[in-house]
Amino acid sequence: MFEKSLQDLVKGIRTHKRDPGPFISQAISEIKQELKSKDDFLKGQAIRKLTYLQMLGYDMSWASFLIVETMSMARFAHKRIGYLAAAQSFTQETDVVLLATNLLKKELLSDQAYNGGLALNCVANIATHDLSRDLLADVTGLLESPKPYLRKKAVTALYKLYVRYPQGLRLTFDKLKEHLDDPDISVVSATVNVVCELAHRNPRNFLAMAPKFFRLLTTTSNNWMLIKVVKLLGALVTEEPRLARKLLEPLATIVQNTGAKSLLYECIYTVTKALPHTRKADGTDARNAPAVVRLCSEQLRLLIEDPDANLKYLGLVALSELMKSHPREAVGHKDNILKCLNDEDVTIRTRALELLTGMVTKRNLEELVHKFLQHVATAEGTYRDTLVEKILFMCARDKYAYLEDFAWYMSVLVDLAHLQGSDKHGAQLAAQIRDVAMRVESVRAYTVEAMLKLVLDPTVILRRSALAGVLAAAAWVVGEYCEEYDELEDPSALAPEGQNLYLAVADALTHPNLTNLAPGVQALYLQNAFKVFVSACGECGDRDLDKLLGMLSIRLRILMQSVHAEVQERAAVFRHLLTALGVLPDPQALEEQEDVAEEEGVPNLLSDMMKSAPRAAAAAGGGAAVTMVTRVSFTRAMVCGRLKLLQVEP
């Protein structure tokens, strides 16, 4: 009977590349028939094919018992197939694992080293809590095997048993650590690996072993084992600071002599972690610390200049650690780090940004920000957002401790606000604009002028940029600091077509296009429009003030019909304030007063004044002018008089 081999299965799947489903279904049906055979060779080949299909994502949990049968076969070739299938497919929920316990015990005690090796490899992959508990003694017994092959595999398998059965670590760790002195270097390396992994979970438990690891650091020549030893000692430094001073000299020796880049990096990185713990009680460095720092700095320079992207990134990572304890050493690498901003790898650029952010001083802040702005202009996506975030962080750091020219910073904020396609940092930009306007009075007029340009530009509302968030701050600034309008160099140049500045600002803050903005921003616009109106009452001429009243009367009625409750409320409050002040007549109240006056025969003075003023003006030949003057004078008198009572300057 002709049976398909694994090679035939692979070729068939490749042949049916477009739709392999039917072919694989047929193959699984054939495998199930083969597994019913009493021929061990046929069963083994079926498990091999099933293991391959499991690698492609097909379930083989239904064959778990058959896999255990294959593991128990006499021939090593068949046994190996079963152990591979078990290691690949068995999970913590596989029930038949318990059936394999006695089988695994038998293999672990076998005289055949390779049978024991298969069992150890399988145990490490399928270990459960119960299986780890039952096999712990057997695996530990193999630590005493005369064969280094089994000792090495037993050491590595113990780590997985400790993970599944933590109590076993306390019971057998003494036997494990004895193999740090094993005569075979591969067993020592395996032991170091296991202890290093365990130490990552709780380094304090391994402090007593520091002398042994220090001896290995100074005697072994195996680079891979040295990497693990260096990592482990670096983890112990945080628990025992006195160890840091002893490590500097041997680590510096390795840095000077090794040609392995991976070992070089681990040694430098461990030195940077140890340096903060080498300081004396008076805060001074240890005697050999400056020389070690210079050595590491020079080696990091070579790594950063290396064309290999991986080495360059590792150099930047280690330099960031060195900067925490010796920031001056990092400043010497500024030119190389700036070059990294042009690298194609975004991870290298991001790491360089973090380093440059930590190098900021009063002298180089503006230079670094200009460099970042050049990259912002060409950057995209997350990297551009990171650039903007770093610019804002550097300038506002420690309450603007490194910032000397706030007018320059305000121009930077405005430039960032105009970035197209991103509004992620709009809220942060708005917060800093308000903060600078409140804190720094010397640049307040400049800030007001910059914000006026934003508010008076009718196109900014339609842009997709950070301006959507900044406009709220701009409206607040132009409303809160109206008195700064007089300090501007050329106020008329800001207003369109020679229009009065107050009238232009009020027009922009109440324009119907506000509906394109968020409801909260619309409400803030209306709130500050009232501030502008109050200031206009004391600063504008009669004709401009009359235009302002007419515009507000119409605009507020429109905004009171907004679909947003907060905008409705702001517009209604604004109009009712003007009505309460007598600036705008209340049509409903005026009609009610007329009805009452007619019934009671009492003259309505306000109504008579409003009605008689146009007739008197017309009789005098200047009707429109007198009406305007009367209303404006009344408005100015009412607003300024009320504000004077409240002791508020208009």
Side-chain angles (χ1 to χ4, degrees), residues 130 133 147 167 208 216-217 244 271 281 338 354 380 451 461 468 479 491 506 511 539 581 591 594 619 629 639:
D130 294 335
R133 180 193 60 213
K147 300 175 181 178
Q167 294 90 331
L216 287 173
L217 180 68
V271 167
L338 285 172
E354 294 177 2
E380 296 179 353
M451 296 302 104
I461 296 178
H511 199 277
E539 300 293 337
L581 290 171
E591 292 177 1
E594 290 177 350
V629 172
V639 173

Side-chain angles (χ1 to χ4, degrees), residues 142-182:
L142 288 177
L143 294 178
E144 307 302 327
S145 172
K147 300 175 181 178
Y149 171 78
L150 287 178
R151 294 202 305 273
K152 175 180 65 176
K153 282 187 170 290
V155 167
T156 53
L158 276 175
Y159 173 72
K160 295 302 292 286
L161 299 187
Y162 293 153
V163 172
R164 301 299 182 191
Y165 181 59
Q167 294 90 331
L169 178 61
R170 189 177 302 170
L171 299 173
T172 61
F173 185 70
D174 289 338
K175 292 185 178 180
L176 175 66
K177 70 180 183 181
E178 290 175 1
H179 289 276
L180 288 173
D181 301 318
D182 195 279

